[in-house]
């Protein structure tokens, strides 16, 4: 601003043909539509500085953007030389396996679906086929996404419910309430949970009259943002 002000004052002093009718509270400066424009000193100076500063700001912004693009190209080329094609295969990925669940919370007792709150993670995955790679984090039964992108998400669960031996009917409070299984996402900045994919199955009569078994597999491609938290929910955790 100081530099612009000095330039404006220097320009004013060097102007040759300023009209003699200009008052002491007025000023003449180059305008967008002509060589000179006279008017209120405050208004004219404000408009002139605003135009000049906007032009300089756009120029600096373009230079910074170009520097960032060049830096990204240099970094990408250097990483490619170091890791070759394997660098681009370092994509966030995780696969967790289940474990015994804690007691149901009071807040979930009347919920339509409840989250699976415990999964084998960290060192517990060493003896399983599970893994966590390249930035995926585990927090309170959820997987936290490290970077924006399109992810393939899936979940596979087996359900078992006891049945009445005399009839083979499921031993549940409401046989009309289906079995649900789905994947949800939550982001603290949005504050609302969103269902990404789900599966719904009706209860069936047991062929062995003692128990029923169900398998549920859900999968989908999902556009996720850094910080999104993924969870799996079911209609009845006791299954």
């Amino acid at each position: 601003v100081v530099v612009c002000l000095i330039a404006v004052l220097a320009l004013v002093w060097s102007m040759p043909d300023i009209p003699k009718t200009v008052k002491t509270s007025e000023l003449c400066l180059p305008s967008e539509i002509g060589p000179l424009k006279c008017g209120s000193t405050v208004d004219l100076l404000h408009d002139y500085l605003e135009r000049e500063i906007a032009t300089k700001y756009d120029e600096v912004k373009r230079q910074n953007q170009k520097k960032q693009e060049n830096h990204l190209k240099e970094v990408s080329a250097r990483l490619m030389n170091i890791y070759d094609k394997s660098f681009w295969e370092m994509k966030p990925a995780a696969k967790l396996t289940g474990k015994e669940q804690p007691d149901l919370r009071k807040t979930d007792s009347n919920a339509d679906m409840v989250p699976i709150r415990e999964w084998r993670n960290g060192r517990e995955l060493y003896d399983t086929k599970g893994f966590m790679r390249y930035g995926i984090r585990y927090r309170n039964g959820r997987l936290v996404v490290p970077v924006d992108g399109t992810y393939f998400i899936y979940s596979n669960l087996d359900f078992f419910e006891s049945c009445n031996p005399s009839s083979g009917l499921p031993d549940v409070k409401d046989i009309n309430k289906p079995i649900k299984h789905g994947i949800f996402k939550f982001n603290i900045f949005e504050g609302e949970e969103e269902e990404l994919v789900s599966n719904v199955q009706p209860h069936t009569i047991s062929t062995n009259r003692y128990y029923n078994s169900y398998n549920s597999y859900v999968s989908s491609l999902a556009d996720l943002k850094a910080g999104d938290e993924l969870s799996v929910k079911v209609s009845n955790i006791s299954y």
Side-chain angles (χ1 to χ4, degrees), residues 147-163:
V147 293
D148 298 0
T150 300
Y151 291 76
F152 175 70
I153 57 175
Y154 72 95
S155 174
N156 185 67
L157 294 177
D158 290 318
F159 297 99
F160 297 90
E161 66 178 357
S162 59
C163 297

Side-chain angles (χ1 to χ4, degrees), residues 197-239:
V197 61
S198 63
N199 177 38
V200 179
Q201 299 182 48
H203 294 275
T204 60
I205 298 177
S206 173
T207 56
N208 60 39
R209 293 182 175 270
Y210 291 97
Y211 69 89
N212 267 330
S213 64
Y214 306 88
N215 177 267
S216 178
Y217 175 83
V218 293
S219 65
S220 177
L221 292 174
D223 291 326
L224 304 176
K225 296 182 295 185
D228 281 347
E229 302 178 16
L230 300 179
S231 62
V232 176
K233 287 188 175 185
V234 294
S235 56
N236 191 330
I237 199 71
S238 66
Y239 295 161

Side-chain angles (χ1 to χ4, degrees), residues 88-137:
W88 301 110
E89 297 301 322
M90 292 180 181
K91 300 173 182 178
K95 179 182 179 181
L96 305 184
T97 57
K99 62 187 299 186
E100 185 176 353
Q101 296 299 300
D103 294 335
L104 192 67
R105 296 180 180 181
K106 292 182 179 180
T107 54
D108 291 334
S109 58
N110 296 320
D112 187 46
M113 298 181 75
V114 295
I116 297 177
R117 300 188 183 278
E118 295 288 343
W119 299 88
R120 289 187 176 89
N121 67 95
R123 294 185 177 181
E124 293 178 310
L125 295 174
Y126 291 171
D127 297 329
T128 72
K129 293 182 180 180
F131 56 85
M132 294 175 62
R133 300 170 182 162
Y134 310 129
I136 290 284
R137 290 181 294 124

